Amino acid sequence: MERIKLLSYIDDVFRCERGYYNYTNIPSTIGYAIYSYGSNDIKDIVCFVDLSDDLDGSKGIIFTMDSLYFNLNVNACFKYSDILSLRLNKDRNQFKGYINDILIQDEYIQENMFIKLISNITDIDIILDMNDSEKIAYLVPAILDDIKDDLYEDVHLTNEQYRKLKELYNDVDTIHRYTDNTYYLELETLCKQALDFFNELEIDSEEIDELESIYLRKTDEQEEAFDKAKAYYDEM
């Protein structure tokens, strides 16, 4: 992967961090970072993300052209070529990420965005280790982000479609404030509304296919529950 392409992926996630440095302005604190959780043979640094409170290099992430070094909840180093699996667990607003089954969870990062970043770098699909409702809560905003970032070809939003996009974003934010029962019911409604919007835009992706499969499963479950209830009352 070219350095500029790699940096663009990292920029999307970390460029707003106050301790974000790309290869053009690496600070002297990189020395302490390398000493703390890096390696003496580090070269071709693409980006250094200093997540320490005092910006002293004691906590953060180092990206090179072929490897990833970090001090988060664990100290670890991975060559991109050695990463074999990526997994994301979600329970309401709590994410847990896994690289090669090593838990990545830290208050200083958004685990879902970090795992997606590594997926972009390695071209490894993320295993969604969550129930169907949580998959809806994860997939819908992810697809909306891709639409907003113009990642679907030949999609040019009209004013009305842009308004629908913003409404769906607002619905996602609102749903997360609900208690469990309402939360899960509203996610099913969100799934249908999002799929209708994606069909209107005539877009398709693996994420949308997964969302459609979830919607069909939930529809089948509801119909089965209705048929059982109807049969029960008919026998009374």
Side-chain angles (χ1 to χ4, degrees), residues 70 72-74 85-107 109-116 118 126-131 134 138:
F70 57 82
L72 298 171
N73 60 302
V74 294
S85 67
L86 298 170
R87 183 159 52 95
L88 193 62
N89 174 272
K90 182 179 184 299
D91 183 10
R92 294 296 302 250
N93 293 327
Q94 186 70 44
F95 282 99
K96 294 179 181 178
Y98 296 84
I99 300 176
N100 289 356
D101 291 329
I102 295 176
L103 173 64
I104 310 298
Q105 188 177 33
D106 196 278
E107 63 179 321
I109 64 170
Q110 297 182 55
E111 291 83 358
N112 58 321
M113 298 299 293
F114 184 61
I115 294 299
K116 184 177 181 180
I118 305 305
I126 301 171
I127 298 170
L128 299 183
D129 181 18
M130 55 190 81
N131 62 39
E134 294 296 357
Y138 172 76

mmCIF file of all heavy atoms in Angstrom, residues 70 72-74 85-107 109-116 118 126-131 134 138:
data_model
loop_
_atom_site.group_PDB
_atom_site.id
_atom_site.type_symbol
_atom_site.label_atom_id
_atom_site.label_comp_id
_atom_site.label_asym_id
_atom_site.label_seq_id
_atom_site.Cartn_x
_atom_site.Cartn_y
_atom_site.Cartn_z
ATOM 1 N N PHE A 70 1.288 -0.302 19.550
ATOM 2 C CA PHE A 70 0.440 0.526 20.396
ATOM 3 C C PHE A 70 0.547 0.150 21.865
ATOM 4 O O PHE A 70 0.911 -0.968 22.224
ATOM 5 C CB PHE A 70 -1.028 0.467 19.939
ATOM 6 C CG PHE A 70 -1.642 -0.904 19.886
ATOM 7 C CD1 PHE A 70 -2.142 -1.502 21.036
ATOM 8 C CD2 PHE A 70 -1.745 -1.585 18.680
ATOM 9 C CE1 PHE A 70 -2.729 -2.755 20.979
ATOM 10 C CE2 PHE A 70 -2.320 -2.843 18.621
ATOM 11 C CZ PHE A 70 -2.819 -3.431 19.768
ATOM 12 N N LEU A 72 -2.264 0.551 24.520
ATOM 13 C CA LEU A 72 -3.640 0.889 24.883
ATOM 14 C C LEU A 72 -3.954 0.118 26.166
ATOM 15 O O LEU A 72 -3.272 0.302 27.165
ATOM 16 C CB LEU A 72 -4.582 0.553 23.726
ATOM 17 C CG LEU A 72 -4.314 1.343 22.433
ATOM 18 C CD1 LEU A 72 -5.134 0.822 21.274
ATOM 19 C CD2 LEU A 72 -4.577 2.830 22.651
ATOM 20 N N ASN A 73 -4.975 -0.745 26.133
ATOM 21 C CA ASN A 73 -5.177 -1.597 27.302
ATOM 22 C C ASN A 73 -4.097 -2.671 27.384
ATOM 23 O O ASN A 73 -3.861 -3.260 28.443
ATOM 24 C CB ASN A 73 -6.559 -2.244 27.257
ATOM 25 C CG ASN A 73 -6.767 -3.109 26.022
ATOM 26 O OD1 ASN A 73 -6.645 -2.624 24.902
ATOM 27 N ND2 ASN A 73 -7.064 -4.388 26.227
ATOM 28 N N VAL A 74 -3.431 -2.919 26.262
ATOM 29 C CA VAL A 74 -2.283 -3.825 26.212
ATOM 30 C C VAL A 74 -1.204 -3.199 25.335
ATOM 31 O O VAL A 74 -1.484 -2.349 24.501
ATOM 32 C CB VAL A 74 -2.662 -5.216 25.623
ATOM 33 C CG1 VAL A 74 -3.622 -5.953 26.547
ATOM 34 C CG2 VAL A 74 -3.261 -5.065 24.231
ATOM 35 N N SER A 85 -7.388 -11.999 11.788
ATOM 36 C CA SER A 85 -8.814 -11.845 12.081
ATOM 37 C C SER A 85 -9.073 -10.539 12.823
ATOM 38 O O SER A 85 -8.236 -10.074 13.618
ATOM 39 C CB SER A 85 -9.332 -13.023 12.920
ATOM 40 O OG SER A 85 -8.759 -13.019 14.215
ATOM 41 N N LEU A 86 -10.222 -9.961 12.547
ATOM 42 C CA LEU A 86 -10.690 -8.753 13.213
ATOM 43 C C LEU A 86 -12.115 -9.004 13.671
ATOM 44 O O LEU A 86 -12.938 -9.496 12.891
ATOM 45 C CB LEU A 86 -10.654 -7.543 12.278
ATOM 46 C CG LEU A 86 -9.281 -7.132 11.746
ATOM 47 C CD1 LEU A 86 -9.445 -6.087 10.644
ATOM 48 C CD2 LEU A 86 -8.402 -6.595 12.861
ATOM 49 N N ARG A 87 -12.391 -8.663 14.925
ATOM 50 C CA ARG A 87 -13.720 -8.948 15.453
ATOM 51 C C ARG A 87 -14.201 -7.754 16.264
ATOM 52 O O ARG A 87 -13.405 -7.066 16.913
ATOM 53 C CB ARG A 87 -13.663 -10.211 16.316
ATOM 54 C CG ARG A 87 -14.991 -10.682 16.888
ATOM 55 C CD ARG A 87 -14.919 -12.176 17.267
ATOM 56 N NE ARG A 87 -13.790 -12.477 18.106
ATOM 57 C CZ ARG A 87 -13.823 -12.539 19.444
ATOM 58 N NH1 ARG A 87 -14.965 -12.287 20.069
ATOM 59 N NH2 ARG A 87 -12.753 -12.851 20.143
ATOM 60 N N LEU A 88 -15.503 -7.499 16.193
ATOM 61 C CA LEU A 88 -16.079 -6.369 16.912
ATOM 62 C C LEU A 88 -17.307 -6.844 17.674
ATOM 63 O O LEU A 88 -18.207 -7.456 17.102
ATOM 64 C CB LEU A 88 -16.459 -5.260 15.935
ATOM 65 C CG LEU A 88 -16.790 -3.879 16.518
ATOM 66 C CD1 LEU A 88 -15.582 -3.301 17.240
ATOM 67 C CD2 LEU A 88 -17.233 -2.934 15.415
ATOM 68 N N ASN A 89 -17.305 -6.578 18.970
ATOM 69 C CA ASN A 89 -18.442 -6.907 19.831
ATOM 70 C C ASN A 89 -19.127 -5.611 20.237
ATOM 71 O O ASN A 89 -18.459 -4.606 20.499
ATOM 72 C CB ASN A 89 -17.945 -7.670 21.067
ATOM 73 C CG ASN A 89 -19.057 -7.917 22.075
ATOM 74 O OD1 ASN A 89 -19.315 -7.083 22.932
ATOM 75 N ND2 ASN A 89 -19.713 -9.054 21.969
ATOM 76 N N LYS A 90 -20.457 -5.634 20.275
ATOM 77 C CA LYS A 90 -21.200 -4.425 20.641
ATOM 78 C C LYS A 90 -22.346 -4.780 21.575
ATOM 79 O O LYS A 90 -23.089 -5.734 21.352
ATOM 80 C CB LYS A 90 -21.760 -3.744 19.385
ATOM 81 C CG LYS A 90 -22.508 -2.441 19.668
ATOM 82 C CD LYS A 90 -23.012 -1.811 18.379
ATOM 83 C CE LYS A 90 -23.668 -0.463 18.628
ATOM 84 N NZ LYS A 90 -24.842 -0.546 19.515
ATOM 85 N N ASP A 91 -22.470 -4.014 22.647
ATOM 86 C CA ASP A 91 -23.589 -4.123 23.574
ATOM 87 C C ASP A 91 -24.019 -2.711 23.940
ATOM 88 O O ASP A 91 -23.358 -2.029 24.711
ATOM 89 C CB ASP A 91 -23.184 -4.915 24.823
ATOM 90 C CG ASP A 91 -24.354 -5.126 25.782
ATOM 91 O OD1 ASP A 91 -25.502 -4.830 25.397
ATOM 92 O OD2 ASP A 91 -24.113 -5.581 26.915
ATOM 93 N N ARG A 92 -25.127 -2.274 23.314
ATOM 94 C CA ARG A 92 -25.559 -0.887 23.404
ATOM 95 C C ARG A 92 -24.434 0.025 22.932
ATOM 96 O O ARG A 92 -23.957 -0.109 21.806
ATOM 97 C CB ARG A 92 -26.015 -0.540 24.828
ATOM 98 C CG ARG A 92 -27.274 -1.280 25.307
ATOM 99 C CD ARG A 92 -28.526 -0.940 24.512
ATOM 100 N NE ARG A 92 -28.870 0.458 24.505
ATOM 101 C CZ ARG A 92 -29.905 0.987 25.126
ATOM 102 N NH1 ARG A 92 -30.698 0.229 25.852
ATOM 103 N NH2 ARG A 92 -30.183 2.260 25.014
ATOM 104 N N ASN A 93 -23.942 0.941 23.761
ATOM 105 C CA ASN A 93 -22.901 1.874 23.311
ATOM 106 C C ASN A 93 -21.491 1.388 23.612
ATOM 107 O O ASN A 93 -20.521 2.118 23.403
ATOM 108 C CB ASN A 93 -23.115 3.247 23.968
ATOM 109 C CG ASN A 93 -24.380 3.927 23.488
ATOM 110 O OD1 ASN A 93 -24.777 3.767 22.343
ATOM 111 N ND2 ASN A 93 -25.022 4.668 24.370
ATOM 112 N N GLN A 94 -21.367 0.173 24.092
ATOM 113 C CA GLN A 94 -20.069 -0.356 24.485
ATOM 114 C C GLN A 94 -19.503 -1.262 23.400
ATOM 115 O O GLN A 94 -20.115 -2.266 23.027
ATOM 116 C CB GLN A 94 -20.203 -1.152 25.793
ATOM 117 C CG GLN A 94 -18.896 -1.635 26.374
ATOM 118 C CD GLN A 94 -18.050 -0.501 26.913
ATOM 119 O OE1 GLN A 94 -18.549 0.392 27.576
ATOM 120 N NE2 GLN A 94 -16.771 -0.527 26.612
ATOM 121 N N PHE A 95 -18.333 -0.905 22.878
ATOM 122 C CA PHE A 95 -17.659 -1.712 21.867
ATOM 123 C C PHE A 95 -16.445 -2.410 22.468
ATOM 124 O O PHE A 95 -15.777 -1.875 23.364
ATOM 125 C CB PHE A 95 -17.176 -0.843 20.695
ATOM 126 C CG PHE A 95 -18.247 -0.461 19.723
ATOM 127 C CD1 PHE A 95 -18.847 0.788 19.801
ATOM 128 C CD2 PHE A 95 -18.645 -1.331 18.724
ATOM 129 C CE1 PHE A 95 -19.828 1.155 18.895
ATOM 130 C CE2 PHE A 95 -19.632 -0.979 17.814
ATOM 131 C CZ PHE A 95 -20.222 0.272 17.903
ATOM 132 N N LYS A 96 -16.165 -3.600 21.953
ATOM 133 C CA LYS A 96 -14.921 -4.298 22.233
ATOM 134 C C LYS A 96 -14.352 -4.767 20.897
ATOM 135 O O LYS A 96 -15.052 -5.400 20.114
ATOM 136 C CB LYS A 96 -15.131 -5.504 23.148
ATOM 137 C CG LYS A 96 -15.585 -5.168 24.563
ATOM 138 C CD LYS A 96 -15.785 -6.433 25.374
ATOM 139 C CE LYS A 96 -16.267 -6.108 26.782
ATOM 140 N NZ LYS A 96 -16.505 -7.349 27.572
ATOM 141 N N GLY A 97 -13.124 -4.424 20.636
ATOM 142 C CA GLY A 97 -12.478 -4.839 19.394
ATOM 143 C C GLY A 97 -11.448 -5.917 19.652
ATOM 144 O O GLY A 97 -10.864 -5.988 20.743
ATOM 145 N N TYR A 98 -11.221 -6.749 18.660
ATOM 146 C CA TYR A 98 -10.249 -7.832 18.799
ATOM 147 C C TYR A 98 -9.397 -7.913 17.531
ATOM 148 O O TYR A 98 -9.929 -7.922 16.415
ATOM 149 C CB TYR A 98 -10.945 -9.184 19.007
ATOM 150 C CG TYR A 98 -11.751 -9.284 20.274
ATOM 151 C CD1 TYR A 98 -13.062 -8.807 20.323
ATOM 152 C CD2 TYR A 98 -11.214 -9.843 21.432
ATOM 153 C CE1 TYR A 98 -13.814 -8.887 21.492
ATOM 154 C CE2 TYR A 98 -11.954 -9.932 22.604
ATOM 155 C CZ TYR A 98 -13.253 -9.458 22.627
ATOM 156 O OH TYR A 98 -13.997 -9.539 23.775
ATOM 157 N N ILE A 99 -8.090 -7.949 17.726
ATOM 158 C CA ILE A 99 -7.156 -8.224 16.639
ATOM 159 C C ILE A 99 -6.499 -9.554 16.942
ATOM 160 O O ILE A 99 -5.846 -9.708 17.977
ATOM 161 C CB ILE A 99 -6.077 -7.120 16.523
ATOM 162 C CG1 ILE A 99 -6.725 -5.756 16.262
ATOM 163 C CG2 ILE A 99 -5.085 -7.453 15.406
ATOM 164 C CD1 ILE A 99 -5.723 -4.607 16.220
ATOM 165 N N ASN A 100 -6.705 -10.519 16.049
ATOM 166 C CA ASN A 100 -6.202 -11.885 16.313
ATOM 167 C C ASN A 100 -6.620 -12.361 17.704
ATOM 168 O O ASN A 100 -5.833 -12.965 18.446
ATOM 169 C CB ASN A 100 -4.679 -11.936 16.182
ATOM 170 C CG ASN A 100 -4.220 -11.810 14.744
ATOM 171 O OD1 ASN A 100 -5.028 -11.764 13.819
ATOM 172 N ND2 ASN A 100 -2.920 -11.740 14.539
ATOM 173 N N ASP A 101 -7.880 -12.054 18.083
ATOM 174 C CA ASP A 101 -8.465 -12.465 19.367
ATOM 175 C C ASP A 101 -7.842 -11.783 20.577
ATOM 176 O O ASP A 101 -8.094 -12.184 21.718
ATOM 177 C CB ASP A 101 -8.406 -13.988 19.542
ATOM 178 C CG ASP A 101 -9.340 -14.717 18.585
ATOM 179 O OD1 ASP A 101 -10.388 -14.150 18.237
ATOM 180 O OD2 ASP A 101 -9.010 -15.846 18.186
ATOM 181 N N ILE A 102 -7.027 -10.762 20.372
ATOM 182 C CA ILE A 102 -6.509 -9.960 21.480
ATOM 183 C C ILE A 102 -7.435 -8.764 21.678
ATOM 184 O O ILE A 102 -7.689 -8.002 20.743
ATOM 185 C CB ILE A 102 -5.073 -9.480 21.200
ATOM 186 C CG1 ILE A 102 -4.122 -10.685 21.127
ATOM 187 C CG2 ILE A 102 -4.603 -8.505 22.281
ATOM 188 C CD1 ILE A 102 -2.699 -10.312 20.765
ATOM 189 N N LEU A 103 -7.958 -8.615 22.897
ATOM 190 C CA LEU A 103 -8.922 -7.559 23.181
ATOM 191 C C LEU A 103 -8.284 -6.181 23.055
ATOM 192 O O LEU A 103 -7.229 -5.921 23.632
ATOM 193 C CB LEU A 103 -9.483 -7.742 24.596
ATOM 194 C CG LEU A 103 -10.397 -6.625 25.117
ATOM 195 C CD1 LEU A 103 -11.672 -6.538 24.280
ATOM 196 C CD2 LEU A 103 -10.733 -6.860 26.590
ATOM 197 N N ILE A 104 -8.937 -5.314 22.293
ATOM 198 C CA ILE A 104 -8.526 -3.927 22.153
ATOM 199 C C ILE A 104 -9.653 -3.062 22.687
ATOM 200 O O ILE A 104 -10.708 -2.925 22.063
ATOM 201 C CB ILE A 104 -8.236 -3.547 20.684
ATOM 202 C CG1 ILE A 104 -7.294 -4.561 20.034
ATOM 203 C CG2 ILE A 104 -7.694 -2.135 20.601
ATOM 204 C CD1 ILE A 104 -5.926 -4.659 20.675
ATOM 205 N N GLN A 105 -9.464 -2.513 23.870
ATOM 206 C CA GLN A 105 -10.496 -1.677 24.478
ATOM 207 C C GLN A 105 -9.818 -0.616 25.328
ATOM 208 O O GLN A 105 -9.020 -0.924 26.213
ATOM 209 C CB GLN A 105 -11.442 -2.516 25.341
ATOM 210 C CG GLN A 105 -12.654 -1.760 25.856
ATOM 211 C CD GLN A 105 -13.596 -2.649 26.653
ATOM 212 O OE1 GLN A 105 -13.166 -3.578 27.329
ATOM 213 N NE2 GLN A 105 -14.890 -2.376 26.560
ATOM 214 N N ASP A 106 -10.100 0.642 25.053
ATOM 215 C CA ASP A 106 -9.410 1.705 25.762
ATOM 216 C C ASP A 106 -10.250 2.973 25.717
ATOM 217 O O ASP A 106 -10.907 3.263 24.708
ATOM 218 C CB ASP A 106 -8.036 1.953 25.138
ATOM 219 C CG ASP A 106 -7.127 2.765 26.036
ATOM 220 O OD1 ASP A 106 -7.257 3.999 26.042
ATOM 221 O OD2 ASP A 106 -6.303 2.161 26.727
ATOM 222 N N GLU A 107 -10.229 3.717 26.794
ATOM 223 C CA GLU A 107 -11.038 4.939 26.872
ATOM 224 C C GLU A 107 -10.571 6.017 25.904
ATOM 225 O O GLU A 107 -11.306 6.964 25.598
ATOM 226 C CB GLU A 107 -11.000 5.495 28.296
ATOM 227 C CG GLU A 107 -9.620 5.913 28.760
ATOM 228 C CD GLU A 107 -9.615 6.491 30.158
ATOM 229 O OE1 GLU A 107 -10.564 7.228 30.477
ATOM 230 O OE2 GLU A 107 -8.673 6.203 30.919
ATOM 231 N N ILE A 109 -9.730 5.651 22.670
ATOM 232 C CA ILE A 109 -10.041 5.421 21.261
ATOM 233 C C ILE A 109 -11.496 4.991 21.103
ATOM 234 O O ILE A 109 -12.141 4.567 22.066
ATOM 235 C CB ILE A 109 -9.132 4.327 20.638
ATOM 236 C CG1 ILE A 109 -9.377 2.972 21.313
ATOM 237 C CG2 ILE A 109 -7.676 4.732 20.695
ATOM 238 C CD1 ILE A 109 -8.721 1.809 20.612
ATOM 239 N N GLN A 110 -12.006 5.111 19.884
ATOM 240 C CA GLN A 110 -13.292 4.512 19.531
ATOM 241 C C GLN A 110 -12.992 3.145 18.909
ATOM 242 O O GLN A 110 -12.486 3.076 17.786
ATOM 243 C CB GLN A 110 -14.044 5.393 18.535
ATOM 244 C CG GLN A 110 -14.420 6.761 19.083
ATOM 245 C CD GLN A 110 -15.205 7.573 18.069
ATOM 246 O OE1 GLN A 110 -16.241 7.132 17.560
ATOM 247 N NE2 GLN A 110 -14.719 8.760 17.762
ATOM 248 N N GLU A 111 -13.287 2.101 19.659
ATOM 249 C CA GLU A 111 -12.876 0.767 19.236
ATOM 250 C C GLU A 111 -13.431 0.391 17.868
ATOM 251 O O GLU A 111 -12.724 -0.234 17.063
ATOM 252 C CB GLU A 111 -13.311 -0.281 20.272
ATOM 253 C CG GLU A 111 -12.585 -0.211 21.596
ATOM 254 C CD GLU A 111 -13.168 0.813 22.557
ATOM 255 O OE1 GLU A 111 -14.135 1.508 22.159
ATOM 256 O OE2 GLU A 111 -12.672 0.928 23.689
ATOM 257 N N ASN A 112 -14.670 0.775 17.577
ATOM 258 C CA ASN A 112 -15.254 0.425 16.280
ATOM 259 C C ASN A 112 -14.510 1.111 15.132
ATOM 260 O O ASN A 112 -14.260 0.503 14.085
ATOM 261 C CB ASN A 112 -16.738 0.776 16.245
ATOM 262 C CG ASN A 112 -17.027 2.239 16.521
ATOM 263 O OD1 ASN A 112 -16.396 2.856 17.379
ATOM 264 N ND2 ASN A 112 -17.975 2.807 15.805
ATOM 265 N N MET A 113 -14.119 2.376 15.329
ATOM 266 C CA MET A 113 -13.397 3.087 14.284
ATOM 267 C C MET A 113 -11.977 2.540 14.126
ATOM 268 O O MET A 113 -11.449 2.465 13.011
ATOM 269 C CB MET A 113 -13.348 4.583 14.614
ATOM 270 C CG MET A 113 -14.704 5.257 14.682
ATOM 271 S SD MET A 113 -15.595 5.148 13.096
ATOM 272 C CE MET A 113 -14.562 6.174 12.066
ATOM 273 N N PHE A 114 -11.356 2.153 15.232
ATOM 274 C CA PHE A 114 -10.002 1.616 15.183
ATOM 275 C C PHE A 114 -9.970 0.287 14.432
ATOM 276 O O PHE A 114 -9.112 0.058 13.569
ATOM 277 C CB PHE A 114 -9.467 1.442 16.603
ATOM 278 C CG PHE A 114 -8.034 0.988 16.665
ATOM 279 C CD1 PHE A 114 -7.023 1.755 16.111
ATOM 280 C CD2 PHE A 114 -7.694 -0.204 17.285
ATOM 281 C CE1 PHE A 114 -5.699 1.342 16.173
ATOM 282 C CE2 PHE A 114 -6.379 -0.624 17.352
ATOM 283 C CZ PHE A 114 -5.380 0.148 16.796
ATOM 284 N N ILE A 115 -10.928 -0.592 14.743
ATOM 285 C CA ILE A 115 -10.979 -1.897 14.059
ATOM 286 C C ILE A 115 -11.313 -1.709 12.579
ATOM 287 O O ILE A 115 -10.756 -2.402 11.706
ATOM 288 C CB ILE A 115 -12.005 -2.818 14.735
ATOM 289 C CG1 ILE A 115 -11.559 -3.170 16.157
ATOM 290 C CG2 ILE A 115 -12.211 -4.098 13.929
ATOM 291 C CD1 ILE A 115 -10.240 -3.905 16.242
ATOM 292 N N LYS A 116 -12.184 -0.758 12.264
ATOM 293 C CA LYS A 116 -12.492 -0.484 10.856
ATOM 294 C C LYS A 116 -11.253 0.031 10.129
ATOM 295 O O LYS A 116 -11.017 -0.306 8.966
ATOM 296 C CB LYS A 116 -13.631 0.535 10.749
ATOM 297 C CG LYS A 116 -14.074 0.788 9.312
ATOM 298 C CD LYS A 116 -15.258 1.740 9.248
ATOM 299 C CE LYS A 116 -15.694 1.965 7.800
ATOM 300 N NZ LYS A 116 -16.852 2.903 7.714
ATOM 301 N N ILE A 118 -8.108 -0.746 10.807
ATOM 302 C CA ILE A 118 -7.229 -1.888 10.561
ATOM 303 C C ILE A 118 -7.794 -2.756 9.439
ATOM 304 O O ILE A 118 -7.051 -3.308 8.625
ATOM 305 C CB ILE A 118 -7.037 -2.728 11.837
ATOM 306 C CG1 ILE A 118 -6.541 -1.840 12.981
ATOM 307 C CG2 ILE A 118 -6.056 -3.870 11.600
ATOM 308 C CD1 ILE A 118 -5.292 -1.063 12.661
ATOM 309 N N ILE A 126 -14.406 -7.568 8.936
ATOM 310 C CA ILE A 126 -14.650 -7.575 10.374
ATOM 311 C C ILE A 126 -15.755 -8.575 10.695
ATOM 312 O O ILE A 126 -16.833 -8.546 10.095
ATOM 313 C CB ILE A 126 -15.065 -6.178 10.867
ATOM 314 C CG1 ILE A 126 -13.973 -5.150 10.555
ATOM 315 C CG2 ILE A 126 -15.367 -6.200 12.364
ATOM 316 C CD1 ILE A 126 -14.405 -3.721 10.819
ATOM 317 N N ILE A 127 -15.497 -9.456 11.644
ATOM 318 C CA ILE A 127 -16.522 -10.369 12.139
ATOM 319 C C ILE A 127 -17.360 -9.607 13.167
ATOM 320 O O ILE A 127 -16.823 -9.086 14.152
ATOM 321 C CB ILE A 127 -15.892 -11.610 12.793
ATOM 322 C CG1 ILE A 127 -15.072 -12.396 11.767
ATOM 323 C CG2 ILE A 127 -16.968 -12.505 13.407
ATOM 324 C CD1 ILE A 127 -14.232 -13.501 12.373
ATOM 325 N N LEU A 128 -18.658 -9.524 12.939
ATOM 326 C CA LEU A 128 -19.543 -8.809 13.854
ATOM 327 C C LEU A 128 -20.067 -9.784 14.898
ATOM 328 O O LEU A 128 -20.981 -10.568 14.638
ATOM 329 C CB LEU A 128 -20.699 -8.163 13.088
ATOM 330 C CG LEU A 128 -20.303 -7.127 12.033
ATOM 331 C CD1 LEU A 128 -21.545 -6.520 11.395
ATOM 332 C CD2 LEU A 128 -19.417 -6.033 12.628
ATOM 333 N N ASP A 129 -19.474 -9.748 16.059
ATOM 334 C CA ASP A 129 -19.822 -10.643 17.161
ATOM 335 C C ASP A 129 -20.886 -9.967 18.017
ATOM 336 O O ASP A 129 -20.616 -9.463 19.110
ATOM 337 C CB ASP A 129 -18.560 -10.951 17.980
ATOM 338 C CG ASP A 129 -18.833 -11.907 19.131
ATOM 339 O OD1 ASP A 129 -19.877 -12.580 19.100
ATOM 340 O OD2 ASP A 129 -18.004 -11.966 20.061
ATOM 341 N N MET A 130 -22.109 -9.934 17.478
ATOM 342 C CA MET A 130 -23.205 -9.242 18.160
ATOM 343 C C MET A 130 -24.535 -9.776 17.655
ATOM 344 O O MET A 130 -24.599 -10.421 16.594
ATOM 345 C CB MET A 130 -23.099 -7.729 17.925
ATOM 346 C CG MET A 130 -23.047 -7.329 16.466
ATOM 347 S SD MET A 130 -22.640 -5.564 16.178
ATOM 348 C CE MET A 130 -20.857 -5.562 16.356
ATOM 349 N N ASN A 131 -25.602 -9.534 18.404
ATOM 350 C CA ASN A 131 -26.914 -10.011 17.966
ATOM 351 C C ASN A 131 -27.432 -9.148 16.816
ATOM 352 O O ASN A 131 -26.850 -8.119 16.474
ATOM 353 C CB ASN A 131 -27.911 -10.051 19.134
ATOM 354 C CG ASN A 131 -28.178 -8.684 19.749
ATOM 355 O OD1 ASN A 131 -28.268 -7.678 19.044
ATOM 356 N ND2 ASN A 131 -28.334 -8.642 21.068
ATOM 357 N N GLU A 134 -28.047 -5.379 17.501
ATOM 358 C CA GLU A 134 -26.824 -4.586 17.591
ATOM 359 C C GLU A 134 -26.145 -4.440 16.230
ATOM 360 O O GLU A 134 -25.481 -3.437 15.954
ATOM 361 C CB GLU A 134 -25.862 -5.205 18.607
ATOM 362 C CG GLU A 134 -26.351 -5.166 20.043
ATOM 363 C CD GLU A 134 -26.520 -3.763 20.594
ATOM 364 O OE1 GLU A 134 -26.202 -2.788 19.886
ATOM 365 O OE2 GLU A 134 -26.984 -3.634 21.745
ATOM 366 N N TYR A 138 -25.075 -0.979 14.422
ATOM 367 C CA TYR A 138 -23.720 -0.758 13.905
ATOM 368 C C TYR A 138 -23.720 -0.492 12.399
ATOM 369 O O TYR A 138 -23.044 0.432 11.919
ATOM 370 C CB TYR A 138 -22.851 -1.979 14.202
ATOM 371 C CG TYR A 138 -21.492 -1.927 13.532
ATOM 372 C CD1 TYR A 138 -20.482 -1.117 14.035
ATOM 373 C CD2 TYR A 138 -21.223 -2.675 12.382
ATOM 374 C CE1 TYR A 138 -19.239 -1.046 13.415
ATOM 375 C CE2 TYR A 138 -19.986 -2.610 11.755
ATOM 376 C CZ TYR A 138 -18.998 -1.806 12.274
ATOM 377 O OH TYR A 138 -17.780 -1.733 11.648
#
